[in-house]
Amino acid sequence: MTKILVLAGGSVKGAFQAGVMKAIMEQGYRPDAVYGVSAGSLNAAYFVNQLGLQAITGEPISFLQAAQDLWDFWETRITSPESLSRPLTIFQLGLSALRKKFKGLVDTQPLRDLLKEVLSIRNLHASPIDLKIGAVNVIDGMMYYVDTSEEYFLDYLMASSAVPILMPVVQINNEPRRSFLDGGLRDVAPIKKAVEDGASQIVCISCHMESIEGGYFDSGDLLALVDRVMDIAVNEILNADIKEVMISNTTIDIKSIRPPQPLTIDIQNFSKLDIRRMLELGYQVGKDLKW
């Protein structure tokens, strides 16, 4: 049996996934591989990294401890928007547009620095479970999945979570033909890839309800507008993919876990308390599951 944990995209709503993961690991769930896209790719990489670290240091392999480490990572390291990015000034944005060198609305160097600090290719290689993440090549429009054997894995990881317009396109090895963005443009949840790779059991944790969350947002705020547009697109793709896989693969045990209420969080102005709220909601959803 190949059990694959599939982690969908969702920006900082990815904290919800970390909460669910802690709960299901407490209940004894043990995947053979983790597949992720966007925020799900970051969660997948950190979780697998911690399992590899356990193997290297000679500790008993503990999926629950790796999930707890992921929870702690969100709670202590993703405490504000500045943990992930820095907004560019109007002057910087205008200059980049005029020179046709637009590189997003924010500088994602803080996220890159954080990933370099907390992830190790050595740990990822030593993990007892497999890892795959996905990103979209903006040149040919195709979805590409890579595992930890990829030389430029960290670049693909950055690309997988690079929200279009908001964040810069990521060039792999500085090659223009290998320009990538958020995998959620094509596969919000890599559930089809898990099926293609022979999964017999899939647990898919999404960060979006089946219907798009309502509520007011300022459509004049460019960053808020980008976030809402991505939410709408993500929701549509996710619903279609999950429905298609469940209908066409009746022999595969598929469990789809989604939040029971909208995960409302402002990507421009969140705090440690907001992250904690996401974690706790995810944990409760995971605890309430009927296996």
Side-chain angles (χ1 to χ4, degrees):
M1 174 182 288
T2 301
K3 297 187 291 184
I4 298 181
L5 174 61
V6 170
L7 302 178
S11 185
V12 290
K13 296 168 187 167
F16 169 82
Q17 282 179 343
V20 175
M21 288 171 66
K22 179 181 176 181
I24 63 177
M25 298 303 163
E26 284 181 351
Q27 297 173 46
Y29 175 68
R30 300 292 182 265
D32 300 309
V34 189
Y35 287 15
V37 161
S38 194
S41 68
L42 302 180
N43 281 336
Y46 191 86
F47 179 74
V48 171
N49 181 87
Q50 296 309 103
L51 289 173
L53 179 60
Q54 293 171 11
I56 287 174
T57 57
E59 300 175 33
I61 299 299
S62 171
F63 284 72
L64 178 55
Q65 183 58 56
Q68 180 63 58
D69 290 346
L70 178 60
W71 175 296
D72 294 342
F73 170 73
W74 275 97
E75 193 164 40
T76 62
R77 303 304 299 270
I78 314 297
T79 56
S80 69
E82 290 73 24
S83 304
L84 304 171
S85 64
R86 291 187 292 262
L88 298 176
T89 66
I90 296 297
F91 175 76
Q92 289 172 314
L93 290 172
L95 193 61
S96 66
L98 287 172
R99 292 179 174 178
K100 296 185 178 180
K101 293 184 177 180
F102 179 72
K103 294 183 178 180
L105 300 176
V106 298
D107 176 6
T108 53
Q109 191 61 44
L111 175 58
R112 184 177 285 274
D113 291 342
L114 179 59
L115 295 181
K116 285 183 178 178
E117 179 184 345
V118 301
L119 300 180
S120 162
I121 290 297
R122 181 175 177 233
N123 292 350
L124 294 173
H125 286 171
S127 174
I129 68 173
D130 295 329
L131 169 66
K132 280 190 181 180
I133 61 170
V136 171
N137 187 318
V138 297
I139 304 300
D140 62 20
M142 299 300 293
M143 187 79 180
Y144 288 81
Y145 283 96
V146 299
D147 58 29
T148 57
S149 65
E150 165 58 47
E151 181 180 2
Y152 301 102
F153 182 81
L154 182 60
D155 287 336
Y156 277 101
L157 187 58
M158 285 292 298
S160 181
S161 57
V163 178
I165 309 300
L166 182 64
M167 297 179 178
V169 171
V170 177
Q171 285 188 0
I172 309 301
N173 194 32
N174 294 315
E175 298 177 32
R177 294 291 304 175
R178 299 169 74 188
S179 296
F180 285 81
L181 277 175
D182 194 327
L185 286 169
R186 294 295 298 263
D187 290 347
V188 176
I191 191 167
K192 290 182 179 178
K193 182 61 176 174
V195 171
E196 180 185 314
D197 287 353
S200 55
Q201 182 190 86
I202 296 172
V203 173
C204 177
I205 309 176
S206 309
C207 300
H208 296 80
M209 299 174 63
E210 189 169 348
S211 58
I212 189 68
E213 53 213 55
Y216 171 79
F217 82 102
D218 184 0
S219 59
D221 183 326
L222 183 56
L223 294 182
L225 181 59
V226 169
D227 187 45
R228 177 53 64 95
V229 168
M230 282 301 297
D231 264 354
I232 293 171
V234 160
N235 212 62
E236 181 64 23
I237 297 169
L238 179 63
N239 288 346
D241 286 353
I242 291 176
K243 182 177 181 180
E244 178 184 341
V245 168
M246 285 187 162
I247 291 175
S248 60
N249 295 278
T250 56
T251 61
I252 301 176
D253 179 12
I254 302 173
K255 181 176 289 294
S256 175
I257 304 171
R258 306 180 75 164
Q261 62 194 61
L263 299 182
T264 54
I265 186 168
D266 185 349
I267 63 170
Q268 300 177 73
N269 187 32
F270 65 87
S271 68
K272 186 173 182 178
L273 290 178
D274 293 315
I275 296 299
R276 179 75 186 197
R277 175 169 53 86
M278 295 286 118
L279 288 165
E280 290 178 345
L281 177 60
Y283 182 75
Q284 190 58 54
V285 168
K287 292 284 284 186
D288 293 341
L289 284 175
K290 299 295 187 292
W291 291 87

